[in-house]
Structure formats: C-alpha cells, structure tokens
Amino acid sequence: MTFKAAAIQMCSGVDPVKNAADMARLVREAAAQGAVYVQTPEMTGAVQKDRPGLRAILRDEANDIIVKTASDLAKELGIHVHVGSTAIPLDDGKIANRGFLFGPDGKLISRYDKIHMFDVDLDNGESWRESAVYRPGSEARIVSLPFAELGFSICYDVRFPQLFRAQAVAGAEVMTVPAAFTRQTGEAHWEILLRARAIENGMFVIAAAQAGVHEDGRETFGHSMIIDPWGKVLASAGGTGEAVLVAEIDVAAVKSAHDKIPNLKNAREFSLEKIATPAAGGVAA
C-alpha cells in the first residue's frame, strides 16, 4: 500500500480566523498534489505566549474555527486532515494541547492530547512552563487508516522514545510529530531526534512544524520533514515561512526495515542493578 502524505509548515499568528484561512489554503494545495493525508503543525490555531490573550480567543471544540475548518476541508477534498494541535479550553481551567484527525467524510476519527509538558529553562534565557497552563494527556493512540497504522505525538513528546517504542510494538507504521520547536533546541536536536525515532522503530515519521518569527515574538525552528523507516529524509522545508511537503509513503518499507533490523522482535526484558563504590578508605561489601 502506498499513499501520498503531506506536512504543512506554517507561521501561525495570534488570530485563529486568519490561521484557519492559511491552513485551508495550504491543505488545498497539498490535496491538489495528490495528498490523501495532510498534517498541520502544533498550535495551528494560534501561537500566543501571552496567557490572558490566549484564553481570550479560546473556544470549545464545537465552536473552534480550526476544528470546524479541518472537518469541512476533509469532507470537501475527500482526504484525511490531521490538525497537529490547537488549544482547547477544559472544564478545570486548564487547556488541552489537542490534535484532531478527520476522515474523508468530515467526521472526527481521533483526538490526541500532548502527554509531555515542555517545562524547561534554556541557555538563551527562554523559560517554558507548559504545565502551568496545559493539562497533559495520558493516553497514547493508534488509528487504523485504510492505508497505514497511524501513531500520535506532539512536539516535546519526540524526546520520550518509550512513547514511540510502545506504539511501534503495537503496530504503528507512521508516527506523527507536529511541532513548534524553539529555534535553539531545533538547531541542536530536531532532525537527529526525528531520524532516530524513525530508525530505532523502523517507521515513517511525518513532522509538520511552525517556522519563523511569530506575531507574539516567539521564534520557531521550522524544517518540517517526512522521513522513511531507514532514516532517509524524503522531504524537508526551510527554517522560515510556509511550505507544503508531499512524499510517497510505501508502507511495505516498514516490514522491510523490521526484517533487516528486527530490534523490536529481539528486545528482551532485563533487570538493572546500581553498584555503589566505597568511600575513600572504606571497604566494598
């Protein structure tokens, strides 16, 4: 089974209405190139670091313009549209960093809430505390599409290989990594992390990214990519501005990679022992 997949690179601003219009234009462009699965970046609806400003534009799922636009596009174009994520308010006052996958009939197939929160302090002075605003998800998920077994992650999740391994063992053939990587961490780790996840699990990785300097002053790394199970980059974008990446996905390559390097099958359980060395002048037990 082969199919065309697309990764949409965006530079979302603070206005969800404009971002929805930009998304629609780019998704239509991808569909015109033959893509039957189209992925948008993390925080497609708005990149807004001002928390009161973000909360002011939030809408529940039933009234969210990104969700509605994606559903309408999927039905109009007869394709699968995957909103990498957008911010959705929750009843407890927190926000979900939530992805949505719509089928060709426009109906919702699956949601995915980002599991790992980006709580870090970077060398350039940037400080991030996603957990102060967002409620982490707790469920990994695989969806059986007509053309592939699709697994989910969002951005910072890529640094947790156990999430990818669990989905690979469960049969995922394509992993999705929509993201809004910072420029500093992206320059250091983005490509190598994506290729490592593809290689170590023998799966395709599709990563649609935010790119460039946003209205709120944030800068994201871009370089959206589609990678095959052998770690080969099939398509990539630059570090700024919009892009539509389309690549042919041959799902048979997943089995081929597993046959060549059967590390999933060869994995073994093991125990771990930590040995304490004696203090100076002491005697080891």
Side-chain angles (χ1 to χ4, degrees):
M1 174 67 72
T2 63
F3 68 98
K4 282 189 177 180
I8 301 298
Q9 182 162 291
M10 298 177 65
C11 186
S12 294
V14 299
D15 180 4
V17 175
K18 181 183 184 303
N19 296 331
D22 290 341
M23 176 185 72
R25 172 173 48 82
L26 295 167
V27 169
R28 288 193 177 98
E29 183 179 334
Q33 295 183 45
V36 297
Y37 164 85
V38 182
Q39 178 192 130
T40 73
E42 180 184 25
M43 288 300 155
T44 293
V47 173
Q48 170 61 283
K49 66 182 179 182
D50 178 70
R51 292 173 183 176
L54 176 62
R55 291 187 182 280
I57 61 174
L58 293 183
R59 301 293 182 269
D60 60 24
E61 283 186 21
N63 297 291
D64 184 87
I65 191 169
I66 295 295
V67 173
K68 184 180 187 307
T69 301
S71 173
D72 291 346
L73 284 167
K75 186 174 183 179
E76 171 196 334
L77 301 169
I79 63 173
H80 289 81
V81 175
H82 176 189
V83 176
S85 86
T86 197
I88 300 294
L90 301 174
D91 292 340
D92 63 0
K94 288 289 185 79
I95 300 170
N97 189 344
R98 181 168 292 170
F100 297 87
L101 177 65
F102 295 94
D105 58 0
K107 293 181 179 178
L108 180 66
I109 295 174
S110 181
R111 300 174 181 84
Y112 170 73
D113 287 359
K114 183 178 181 180
I115 292 174
H116 299 96
M117 298 289 95
F118 190 54
D119 290 354
V120 301
D121 298 301
L122 301 177
D123 291 342
N124 64 358
E126 290 183 56
S127 182
W128 301 91
R129 291 293 180 272
E130 280 191 336
S131 63
V133 178
Y134 293 93
R135 187 176 75 190
S138 59
E139 294 182 357
R141 187 158 291 171
I142 297 173
V143 172
S144 296
L145 297 181
F147 40 78
E149 299 292 307
L150 193 76
F152 294 84
S153 75
I154 296 174
C155 200
Y156 191 49
D157 284 336
V158 75
R159 293 186 182 273
F160 298 84
Q162 65 273 26
L163 175 63
F164 287 69
R165 177 51 56 92
Q167 293 182 73
V169 169
E173 298 165 321
V174 178
M175 278 296 297
T176 62
V177 193
F181 248 61
T182 69
R183 183 183 59 79
Q184 183 182 15
T185 57
E187 287 175 347
H189 299 146
W190 172 247
E191 180 175 343
I192 196 167
L193 283 169
L194 294 174
R195 295 181 70 190
R197 297 296 88 85
I199 293 166
E200 67 198 8
N201 295 298
M203 57 169 57
F204 286 91
V205 169
I206 302 174
Q210 296 282 355
V213 179
H214 300 260
E215 283 183 287
D216 71 343
R218 189 180 311 184
E219 186 174 4
T220 51
F221 183 63
H223 295 86
S224 301
M225 291 187 180
I226 302 176
I227 302 167
D228 79 3
W230 207 244
K232 178 182 178 181
V233 178
L234 301 178
S236 63
T240 58
E242 297 176 344
V244 176
L245 305 182
V246 177
E248 192 84 21
I249 304 296
D250 182 359
V251 178
V254 174
K255 182 179 185 305
S256 176
H258 291 170
D259 288 344
K260 292 174 182 175
I261 309 290
N263 60 320
L264 300 184
K265 184 170 63 176
N266 292 346
R268 290 175 53 83
E269 297 293 330
F270 55 87
S271 61
L272 174 63
E273 182 180 6
K274 185 175 181 180
I275 306 297
T277 57
V283 179

